[in-house]
Amino acid sequence: MALNKEEMSEKVLAIAETLLNEGGMDNLKARTIAEQAGISVGSIYNLFADLDEVHRAVNMRLLDRLGAAGINAMAELERQGVTDVRHRILAMAAAYVRFVEAHPGSWPAVLAFNRRRAARPGPDAYDARLDELFDIVAGVLKAGDFDLDDNRRALAARTLWSSVHGIVTSGYVAKSDSRQAEEIWHQVELLVGVFVRGLERGGAFAHAKTKPV
């Protein structure tokens, strides 16, 4: 039975995600996708404008999956009655580490794709997905007694997310041995502990009022 357009699009994206995860951006080729899907290269371009659009669609799915992982981590802590902000942030960080480990090729390909599109003006669905991730962190911070208005809470959430992201991706847990992975996690714990303590003491924004010269 022939697949309809939606089913074939899903098949193409599933194949594309596997190719990205196995070999990164260099492994994503229209001819390989077509061969594995049992269709012509032209059929792919009837479904997607170009290979970048295929990659973009895969990335959107990954961002959705990452957001779901964060939400699930928070839901599990709520079921356990855990309200400590530091503990909740660390749980989100752990969910992110597991996500990076589970996507050793496709997640770096997301980051590489983002760097290529950095010059594109204006918000889009990509930015909306990232905002949803920041909102999860901001929701955790809102539960803390930090005396932050909405703007500062949003800034704190973005800063914390970017910092954890930097530690994890620079160390790249998926290719680390257990000792290095442990070191990366200690860095995350230190960062989160210092960050939360700064918010508790109310001095985290004391030096963030003016731009550097």
Side-chain angles (χ1 to χ4, degrees):
M1 181 178 177
L3 300 179
N4 61 35
K5 185 175 182 179
E6 182 178 348
E7 291 170 333
M8 184 54 68
S9 295
E10 285 296 311
K11 185 174 183 178
V12 166
L13 292 178
I15 292 169
E17 182 176 340
T18 298
L19 291 174
L20 286 167
N21 208 36
E22 290 176 346
M25 291 180 64
D26 292 341
N27 202 38
L28 186 65
K29 301 182 185 304
R31 185 169 300 280
T32 306
I33 296 173
E35 290 174 353
Q36 294 191 17
I39 59 177
S40 68
V41 171
S43 295
I44 295 176
Y45 296 127
N46 287 332
L47 299 169
F48 301 92
D50 52 30
L51 206 56
D52 266 2
E53 188 174 327
V54 175
H55 193 170
R56 179 185 176 85
V58 171
N59 291 352
M60 297 289 278
R61 287 154 60 109
L62 290 170
L63 289 172
D64 285 341
R65 207 174 297 159
L66 177 56
I71 291 171
N72 291 339
M74 293 303 95
E76 178 60 29
L77 290 183
E78 285 196 12
R79 283 193 292 270
Q80 297 173 10
V82 176
T83 59
D84 178 71
V85 172
R86 177 180 172 277
H87 193 132
R88 288 164 67 87
I89 292 173
L90 285 174
M92 288 191 64
Y96 179 57
V97 169
R98 289 193 296 272
F99 185 85
V100 173
E101 289 177 328
H103 301 86
S106 52
W107 185 243
V110 170
L111 305 181
F113 189 87
N114 286 352
R115 287 192 291 272
R116 282 172 46 201
R117 63 179 284 279
R120 289 178 50 185
D124 61 9
Y126 241 69
D127 299 306
R129 292 300 198 285
L130 292 174
D131 285 343
E132 289 171 6
L133 296 175
F134 298 143
D135 286 344
I136 298 172
V137 182
V140 174
L141 295 178
K142 189 174 183 178
D145 187 19
F146 300 138
D147 191 28
L148 298 174
D149 59 28
D150 290 344
N151 289 335
R152 287 189 168 186
R153 188 181 304 113
L155 176 60
R158 288 173 179 271
T159 301
L160 185 56
W161 170 272
S162 299
S163 301
V164 171
H165 166 75
I167 290 172
V168 174
T169 55
S170 64
Y172 197 43
V173 176
K175 290 187 177 179
S176 302
D177 58 30
S178 59
R179 183 176 179 181
Q180 187 175 354
E182 185 177 354
E183 168 66 19
I184 290 169
W185 183 247
H186 287 330
Q187 290 180 30
V188 171
E189 288 183 313
L190 176 60
L191 167 73
V192 172
V194 171
F195 194 91
V196 171
R197 182 61 61 87
L199 292 178
E200 289 172 343
R201 293 182 176 180
F205 287 89
H207 302 290
K209 296 178 181 179
T210 59
K211 294 182 179 179
V213 177

